[in-house]
Amino acid sequence: MRSIFSPELVNGPFGDPALYVDFRFEARALLIDLGHLDLLPPKKILRISDVFVSHTHMDHFCGFDRLLRICLGRDTALRMFGPPGFVAQVEHKLAAYTWNLVERYPGDFVIEAWEIDAAWQAHGRRLRFRDRFRPEPLETRQLSGGVLLDEPAFRVRAALLDHGIPCLGFAVEEKAHVNVWKNRLTELGLPVGPWLKELKDAVIRGAPDDQPVRAWWRDRDGEHERLFTVGVLKDDILRLVPGEKIAYVTDVAFHDDNRRHIADLAGGAMRLFIECAFLDEDAALAGARSHLTAGQAGRITRECGAEFVTPFHFSPRYEGREEELRAELEAARRAET
Ligand SMILES: [Zn+2]
Ligand SMILES: [Zn+2]
């Protein structure tokens, strides 16, 4: 089974946090955290529709300028989500530049910036390039279940965690994954083709069973078609399985409240991206900075039941000791208690 998402850390385990979540079947991507983005080519930046920022420490937010510069003058839109205070910080970033030349650019670039408060209300502003990024208020939304984005094929949820300051963790969840029984398809005399993707999309979007489906293909005898309904093909050739979840947790203190919230967010994740800033031998330092050690990250991974784990945000003090960090995480993950 192939997930619709292909996640990749932009800067590797020692660099600034930024997780690029590419869509396999669409020219679209999500970005989680906005560290240094110089390694991300413009064509990949332009695929980003939504940006999720855990908190605005510089290593998680300094990539904003590159993002802005690449998007300026293009007809494109970006939604951004962050913790309390985030909207004003985006506005301050934009206010740091002079915008008297906006008419010379061909396109408009629109940012919707949203921040989450402790009561899970989302407060937003629209900032339009053509309008020199003068903020327009958006209607406040009450979020349920921490869901920031809810689309037919996937949702993005957040958890409010503690890093000495509020810090968001994120989960990207594919709603359902549709597999095709190839042998049943052959029994019905139907070849694969673009019609199958249309059918899968219709099923994921919850199309009614009586909706017609046109199976069509071309061979040397010309074009053929057969008509079915979504309901019949769903029963005959498709198998719906739960979708995959990717979770992202960084810059968090190791305490019971955070662990409980992380387990809620990341429980059953296919892959957990988790910070691993320090080794256990420096646990006092990790505690003072509200960060995790590799051992603590391993325990959290076990508590979440994540199938795969990708540690990141290693402190530069461990340059050359990457294997120790990974080994400590693995040992704690596999420990019995
Ligand atoms: Zn931080
Ligand atoms: Zn950080």
Side-chain angles (χ1 to χ4, degrees):
M1 180 175 92
R2 296 194 82 196
S3 160
I4 58 172
F5 302 114
S6 168
E8 190 186 4
L9 288 168
V10 175
N11 301 307
F14 281 99
D16 282 358
L19 180 68
Y20 188 82
V21 183
D22 212 352
F23 285 52
R24 284 190 208 274
F25 310 112
E26 245 183 285
R28 182 178 178 187
L30 311 176
L31 185 68
I32 305 183
D33 265 347
L34 255 182
H36 196 60
L37 292 185
D38 283 13
L39 293 175
L40 212 50
K43 74 171 191 326
K44 288 185 100 172
I45 288 184
L46 289 168
R47 286 214 289 272
I48 298 169
S49 61
D50 298 86
V51 178
F52 303 88
V53 176
S54 63
H55 64 303
T56 47
H57 278 155
M58 201 162 179
D59 52 334
H60 298 255
F61 197 39
C62 68
F64 180 82
D65 277 16
R66 177 162 163 81
L67 184 72
L68 174 65
R69 196 165 192 187
I70 302 287
C71 293
L72 272 190
R74 308 206 187 225
D75 271 313
T76 186
L78 203 59
R79 271 179 304 229
M80 302 184 71
F81 300 86
F86 179 68
V87 173
Q89 288 175 313
V90 171
E91 288 177 28
H92 290 317
K93 283 257 190 195
L94 294 165
Y97 297 102
T98 306
W99 300 109
N100 64 314
L101 301 176
V102 294
E103 292 81 10
R104 290 196 196 170
Y105 288 80
D108 199 2
F109 169 49
V110 183
I111 299 175
E112 261 189 29
W114 292 93
E115 68 183 49
I116 315 310
D117 69 16
W120 287 100
Q121 287 204 319
H123 307 275
R125 297 267 174 97
R126 182 178 292 118
L127 304 138
R128 190 181 286 278
F129 173 65
R130 278 264 176 260
D131 215 8
R132 298 183 166 84
F133 295 117
R134 204 161 36 90
E136 304 160 37
L138 295 165
E139 202 174 322
T140 296
R141 292 190 288 144
Q142 180 69 48
L143 304 178
S144 75
V147 175
L148 303 179
L149 201 62
D150 195 1
E151 298 204 7
F154 74 96
R155 68 173 75 82
V156 179
R157 282 200 299 132
L160 203 50
L161 305 171
D162 166 38
H163 173 42
I165 53 169
C167 180
L168 299 175
F170 301 103
V172 182
E173 303 167 350
E174 193 185 2
K175 284 186 183 170
H177 197 89
V178 182
N179 290 336
V180 178
W181 295 106
K182 289 274 167 50
N183 54 339
R184 306 235 175 111
L185 201 61
T186 311
E187 282 165 24
L188 286 171
L190 296 172
V192 296
W195 71 273
L196 207 50
K197 163 131 183 31
E198 286 163 22
L199 170 67
K200 285 162 119 183
D201 286 350
V203 169
I204 283 171
R205 284 171 166 73
D209 281 356
D210 59 357
Q211 183 173 309
V213 178
R214 179 174 164 262
W216 63 272
W217 65 99
R218 237 177 247 121
D219 59 21
R220 58 173 182 261
D221 301 323
E223 188 164 318
H224 308 268
E225 72 165 22
R226 282 170 65 189
L227 296 174
F228 297 91
T229 59
V230 165
V232 165
L233 289 180
K234 198 161 72 181
D235 292 345
D236 277 0
I237 63 167
L238 300 183
R239 190 165 58 105
L240 268 74
V241 294
E244 285 181 4
K245 185 200 277 197
I246 301 162
Y248 175 98
V249 170
T250 194
D251 294 52
V252 286
F254 187 69
H255 56 57
D256 289 352
D257 254 14
N258 270 349
R259 287 164 68 185
R260 202 174 54 248
H261 286 125
I262 295 168
D264 279 351
L265 177 78
M270 178 67 155
R271 184 172 290 278
L272 172 64
F273 290 84
I274 189 161
E275 73 141 312
C276 230
F278 295 94
L279 281 167
D280 273 347
E281 66 187 34
D282 294 317
L285 206 52
R289 298 190 183 170
S290 298
H291 269 288
L292 298 178
T293 66
Q296 291 162 351
R299 285 174 67 180
I300 289 175
T301 304
R302 177 159 41 88
E303 287 162 6
C304 294
E307 208 161 322
F308 300 100
V309 60
T310 302
F312 71 105
H313 211 356
F314 298 166
S315 161
R317 67 175 51 226
Y318 304 114
E319 205 84 57
R321 299 176 71 189
E322 185 175 337
E323 287 318 310
E324 283 178 63
L325 285 154
R326 292 185 188 279
E328 194 174 278
L329 175 133
E330 277 306 320
R333 182 188 173 196
R334 297 187 187 291
E336 290 302 317
T337 53

